[in-house]
């Protein structure tokens, strides 16, 4: 029977990752619906994520299960038919064009400030914390923001650009602690409204704007967790924008998730449910795009810290579900759990990295002293 064949095939693939169907270990999978096997074989990661959202399977440690699958690279053995179409579409179309750039703002960042306030901690900072010496999420996020400011050598009176400013926390921190004035852009209306209120009374301007429209001068610039939405077809244009906005002796800090291989699209499940039109850059893609535009002063990888950041986010949001609105129904909660757990697994398996690059237009005279 086809069903028996599908089940054997899935069991064999899981065994390669030391995962058992119906096993008793936290990372073993408990299958509730026999259609699970055919769905995963036919749809790959999309079928795995959607079937979890539909309640067809569970694991006591969801991140543990997904880590085992990624560490054994089982995901590279199963591809859904839709991935061929996605690959062709990414090659032939600019998925991150100005017309499409607002999609992720509307579908992800505008989900609701209540959700993000519950998840992200005291500061609404939606990027990796810096856990060296930090014991909790809030301390790790403050350490990250301070690290960014120190790497940029911020001083009172400087005018600073934040490309993809989120809820405005980084500019607020820089204005209060380092005496700078700030200018931030975002494509999320919810974020822009919140950031304006957060930074009220500070020399900070927030604008709802695509990065490509920037043409003003700044003494320093940074971008924290926005580059994942730019897309390889736009990398050169992105760095051209950063270069034209930066003074000749200014510094630009890029904080981005990165992948170990060059691709042109993201995982199908992530694209459909979490970050539409996103993709992770590779080191080679970034290096090619900055060539002739910037001098690379420093490249810092602290991707292992993202696993710990995500665990803290998960703990926060799981504690808060009961107090959040009914629009975050059970299927949404399972979707969000899968998103956070899959993200943990990618960093824990070192399939994804977190990079901070410091770039200068002409090279720092005498050399740049890297900070950690």
């Amino acid at each position: 029977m086809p069903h028996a064949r599908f089940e054997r095939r899935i069991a064999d693939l899981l065994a390669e990752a030391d995962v058992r169907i119906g096993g008793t270990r936290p990372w073993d999978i408990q299958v509730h619906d026999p259609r699970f096997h055919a769905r995963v074989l036919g749809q790959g990661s999309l079928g795995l994520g959607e079937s979890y959202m539909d309640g067809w399977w569970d694991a006591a440690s969801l991140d543990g299960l997904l880590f085992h699958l990624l560490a054994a690279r089982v995901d590279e053995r199963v591809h859904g038919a839709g991935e061929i179409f996605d690959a062709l579409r990414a090659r032939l179309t600019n998925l991150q064009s100005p017309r499409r750039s607002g999609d992720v703002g509307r579908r992800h960042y505008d989900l609701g400030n209540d959700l993000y306030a519950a998840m992200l901690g005291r500061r609404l900072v939606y990027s990796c914390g810096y856990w060296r010496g930090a014991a909790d999420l809030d301390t790790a996020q403050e350490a990250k923001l301070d690290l960014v400011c120190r790497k940029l050598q911020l001083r009172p009176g400087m005018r600073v650009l934040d490309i993809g400013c989120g809820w405005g926390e980084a500019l607020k921190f820089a204005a209060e602690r380092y005496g700078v004035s700030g200018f931030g852009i975002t494509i999320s209306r919810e974020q822009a409204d919140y950031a304006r209120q957060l930074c009220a009374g500070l020399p900070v301007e927030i604008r709802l704007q695509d990065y490509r429209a920037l043409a003003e001068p700044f003494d320093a610039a940074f971008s924290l967790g926005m580059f994942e939405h730019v897309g390889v077809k736009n990398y050169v244009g992105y760095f051209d924008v950063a270069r034209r906005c930066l003074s000749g002796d200014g510094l630009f800090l890029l904080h981005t998730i990165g992948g170990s291989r060059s691709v042109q699209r993201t995982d199908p499940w992530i694209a459909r449910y979490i970050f539409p039109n996103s993709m992770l850059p590779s080191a080679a893609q970034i290096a090619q795009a900055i060539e002739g535009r910037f001098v690379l002063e420093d490249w810092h990888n602290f991707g292992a810290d993202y696993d710990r950041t995500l665990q803290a986010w998960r703990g926060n949001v799981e504690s808060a579900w009961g107090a959040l609105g009914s629009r975050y129904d059970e299927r949404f909660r399972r979707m969000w759990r899968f998103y956070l757990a899959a993200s943990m697994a990618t960093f824990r398996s070192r399939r994804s990295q977190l990079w901070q690059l410091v770039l200068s237009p002409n090279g720092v005279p005498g050399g740049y002293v890297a900070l950690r």
Side-chain angles (χ1 to χ4, degrees):
M1 293 177 62
H3 169 71
R5 265 200 327 272
F6 296 154
E7 185 172 358
R8 283 196 301 272
R9 175 61 176 154
I10 289 293
D12 290 343
L13 286 168
L14 293 175
E16 295 179 20
D18 190 28
V19 175
R20 301 170 191 157
I21 298 175
T24 58
R25 299 167 301 178
W27 64 87
D28 286 330
I29 188 169
Q30 314 302 321
V31 177
H32 310 309
D33 192 308
R35 295 173 294 175
F36 161 81
H37 311 95
R39 189 172 185 180
V40 172
L41 289 175
Q43 298 180 329
S45 66
L46 182 63
L48 183 68
E50 287 186 336
S51 60
Y52 179 79
M53 291 166 61
D54 291 337
W56 289 15
W57 63 273
D58 280 293
S61 173
L62 183 56
D63 54 303
L65 166 64
L66 297 175
F67 165 73
H68 275 73
L69 298 181
L70 289 178
R73 297 192 175 272
V74 172
D75 57 304
E76 298 176 358
R77 306 275 302 281
V78 181
H79 299 281
E83 292 187 48
I84 299 174
F85 171 78
D86 289 345
L88 287 172
R89 181 168 173 260
R91 287 186 177 277
L92 298 175
T93 307
N94 185 354
L95 298 179
Q96 299 83 15
S97 66
R99 182 174 63 85
R100 292 186 173 93
S101 65
D103 289 352
V104 70
R106 291 185 294 271
R107 292 173 53 188
H108 187 80
Y109 296 106
D110 287 346
L111 278 172
N113 287 341
D114 56 343
L115 172 66
Y116 293 110
M119 183 174 81
L120 299 180
R122 186 168 64 88
R123 298 180 186 271
L124 270 68
V125 178
Y126 199 13
S127 54
C128 182
Y130 190 53
W131 289 84
R132 178 179 292 189
D136 57 64
L137 175 64
D138 293 334
T139 305
Q141 292 294 14
E142 182 166 319
K144 186 266 299 295
L145 296 178
D146 193 61
L147 181 67
V148 169
C149 293
R150 290 188 292 116
K151 284 183 175 182
L152 287 172
Q153 302 173 0
L154 297 188
R155 303 181 304 277
M158 294 178 71
R159 188 166 186 254
V160 180
L161 169 66
D162 183 350
I163 304 176
C165 65
W167 290 274
E169 295 280 5
L171 284 177
K172 180 176 185 288
F173 182 93
E176 291 178 337
R177 301 289 183 90
Y178 286 83
V180 305
S181 62
F183 182 88
I185 62 166
T186 175
I187 55 172
S188 165
R189 191 171 300 279
E190 290 282 336
Q191 287 184 337
D193 290 343
Y194 184 98
R196 291 185 186 114
Q197 295 178 28
L198 180 75
C199 297
L202 294 171
V204 173
E205 180 183 353
I206 304 295
R207 188 176 297 172
L208 190 67
Q209 178 180 310
D210 185 90
Y211 70 91
R212 280 161 280 224
L214 285 167
E216 303 169 48
F218 297 91
D219 300 306
F222 60 85
S223 183
L224 310 181
M226 174 270 183
F227 194 67
E228 299 88 337
H229 305 300
V230 171
V232 67
K233 294 182 185 297
N234 305 298
Y235 288 168
V236 167
Y238 175 91
F239 286 112
D240 280 340
V241 169
R243 178 64 186 86
R244 76 174 180 237
C245 288
L246 203 59
S247 64
D249 60 352
L251 295 174
F252 176 52
L253 184 142
L254 178 68
H255 173 116
T256 183
I257 300 172
S260 300
R261 298 180 181 178
S262 295
V263 299
Q264 293 195 335
R265 59 187 176 87
T266 193
D267 172 82
W269 186 86
I270 290 291
R272 178 172 294 186
Y273 291 100
I274 306 298
F275 296 118
N277 305 328
S278 64
M279 61 158 283
L280 300 184
S282 70
Q285 289 168 334
I286 293 175
Q288 184 176 14
I290 66 174
E291 185 174 337
R293 293 170 178 82
F294 286 101
V295 173
L296 174 59
E297 301 287 359
D298 184 37
W299 195 313
H300 182 190
N301 185 353
F302 53 98
D305 285 16
Y306 225 141
D307 184 11
R308 195 168 176 184
T309 301
L310 286 153
Q311 290 181 50
W313 289 348
R314 178 179 62 185
N316 286 344
V317 77
E318 288 294 341
S319 297
W321 283 128
L324 293 174
S326 58
R327 63 196 177 99
Y328 303 119
D329 60 15
E330 182 60 22
R331 194 167 193 269
F332 181 93
R333 295 181 189 185
R334 290 181 72 88
M335 177 191 78
W336 208 252
R337 287 176 183 134
F338 192 86
Y339 155 52
L340 294 177
S343 299
M344 291 176 211
T346 62
F347 289 101
R348 195 176 305 163
S349 64
R350 302 307 307 275
R351 297 279 291 275
S352 292
Q353 318 303 324
L354 189 284
W355 296 323
Q356 281 191 354
L357 283 68
V358 177
L359 308 172
S360 67
N362 303 305
V364 175
Y368 177 83
V369 178
L371 300 176
R372 296 292 184 265

